[in-house]
Amino acid sequence: MGTITAKDGTRINYNDWGSGQPVVFSHGWPLSAEAFEDQMFFLASRGFRCIAHDRRGHGRSDQSWEGNDLDTYADDLATLVETLDLKQAVHVGHSTGGGEVARYIGRHGTRRVAKAVLIGAITPLMVKTTANPIGTPIEVFDQLRVAVQADRSQFWNDLSLPFYGYNRPDAKISEGVREAFWRQGMMAGFPASYFCIKAFSETDLTEDLAKFDIPTLILHGDDDQIVPIAASAMLSSKLVKGAVLKVYAGAPHGMCTTLKDRVNAELFAFLTA
């Protein structure tokens, strides 16, 4: 893995595979760059340079106490892009990573960006407010915080079931996938595990989405139990000018793993269009 140093001295680790047009992946909470390994290997084998970092506090990056917010995540991403001098990059963000991509574009523009892909993204705003009545009640996120503090090891194990739709009737469960989710979750530091909940649930990305001026693909499962589609992709697709929305019937939040062949083909088609 490579390492960059953020403005506050936090060390961010990243994978860098292949050569060609850069595709930069931003993972979800509480995972790491490994969450995109299927997409990275597929695209790197087909002429793309695939880069994925472990967000600060996650994976093998430093477990900083400060900076577990989307502004800092976006600035860390900008530091990665600038340090590697990436141009005409395609940014792919899943879940919280989708919010990271949106805030990155909102804060740093699209001078180095060619296209964007939001998969199961938290955009534009997860929490229920007066202006966002179809959002998720704050009490749900409070319960997540309680669970992280009480026994986060068991919490990650439990969360893997709805994350991949393994709690649905007739679901084909991979215990290996569940163990990989748990392992990545336990690699995330306690501060990031806790503070990131506020970041992904309460950050309003509406204005960031309005600044997208590049081709954008939005992928979302209509059985996403983590980021419900009605308050996310259905709204984001209207806020991003010219966005293409593709809804995966019956797909869970973790569809980059459970439906990796379909997602890989979708990405390749979008990248080469």
Side-chain angles (χ1 to χ4, degrees):
M1 297 191 76
T3 304
I4 62 164
T5 302
K7 295 177 181 178
D8 65 353
T10 300
R11 292 169 298 178
I12 308 291
N13 283 346
Y14 65 93
N15 289 327
D16 190 347
W17 301 349
S19 60
Q21 183 180 11
V23 185
V24 184
F25 294 87
S26 294
H27 65 79
W29 171 88
L31 304 175
S32 69
E34 292 181 28
F36 274 119
E37 62 183 10
D38 290 314
Q39 286 68 47
M40 292 180 67
F41 188 82
F42 178 87
L43 293 174
S45 300
R46 288 161 175 78
F48 291 91
R49 179 184 179 186
C50 295
I51 301 158
H53 62 294
D54 290 345
R55 184 174 298 113
R56 66 167 56 218
H58 298 69
R60 288 141 292 199
S61 293
D62 284 349
Q63 296 185 7
S64 62
W65 179 262
E66 302 291 343
N68 295 289
D69 58 81
L70 277 173
D71 283 355
T72 305
Y73 295 161
D75 291 349
D76 288 347
L77 177 56
T79 298
L80 173 69
V81 169
E82 291 160 10
T83 300
L84 299 182
D85 193 24
L86 304 180
K87 299 172 183 176
Q88 289 296 299
V90 178
H91 283 268
V92 181
H94 173 250
S95 196
T96 300
E100 177 178 289
V101 170
R103 183 50 54 92
Y104 166 71
I105 290 175
R107 285 172 71 84
H108 299 276
T110 56
R111 181 172 60 89
R112 293 176 177 267
V113 182
K115 297 179 180 181
V117 183
L118 304 178
I119 306 175
I122 60 171
T123 54
L125 175 64
M126 283 199 71
V127 73
K128 180 179 180 179
T129 64
T130 302
N132 186 42
I134 61 174
T136 302
I138 188 66
E139 290 77 14
V140 172
F141 302 111
D142 289 339
Q143 291 169 8
L144 295 183
R145 281 182 272 265
V146 169
V148 165
Q149 287 186 293
D151 185 348
R152 69 189 182 102
S153 180
Q154 185 60 51
F155 174 58
W156 299 141
N157 188 59
D158 294 341
L159 184 61
S160 67
L161 290 170
F163 194 97
Y164 296 107
Y166 290 160
N167 58 343
R168 295 309 196 202
D170 302 320
K172 184 179 180 181
I173 300 173
S174 167
E175 291 301 329
V177 166
R178 294 190 65 202
E179 290 171 6
F181 181 92
W182 175 87
R183 178 177 54 80
Q184 290 178 71
M186 291 307 294
M187 288 177 71
F190 202 116
S193 299
Y194 185 88
F195 295 131
C196 189
I197 296 171
K198 180 179 178 65
F200 71 66
S201 64
E202 298 181 44
T203 305
D204 191 340
L205 298 155
T206 302
E207 293 185 6
D208 302 273
L209 294 175
K211 295 179 181 179
F212 279 47
D213 58 1
I214 35 83
T216 302
L217 174 65
I218 298 175
L219 306 178
H220 215 107
D222 68 4
D223 193 32
D224 190 324
Q225 300 170 65
I226 309 300
V227 181
I229 189 172
S232 54
M234 302 310 292
L235 300 179
S236 296
S237 61
K238 297 176 182 177
L239 292 167
V240 176
K241 184 177 180 180
V244 174
L245 170 65
K246 296 196 175 182
V247 178
Y248 285 28
H253 192 58
M255 65 185 194
C256 289
T257 297
T258 62
L259 296 172
K260 62 183 181 181
D261 291 341
R262 182 176 174 185
V263 172
N264 290 349
E266 199 91 68
L267 290 176
F268 184 73
F270 181 62
L271 267 56
T272 55

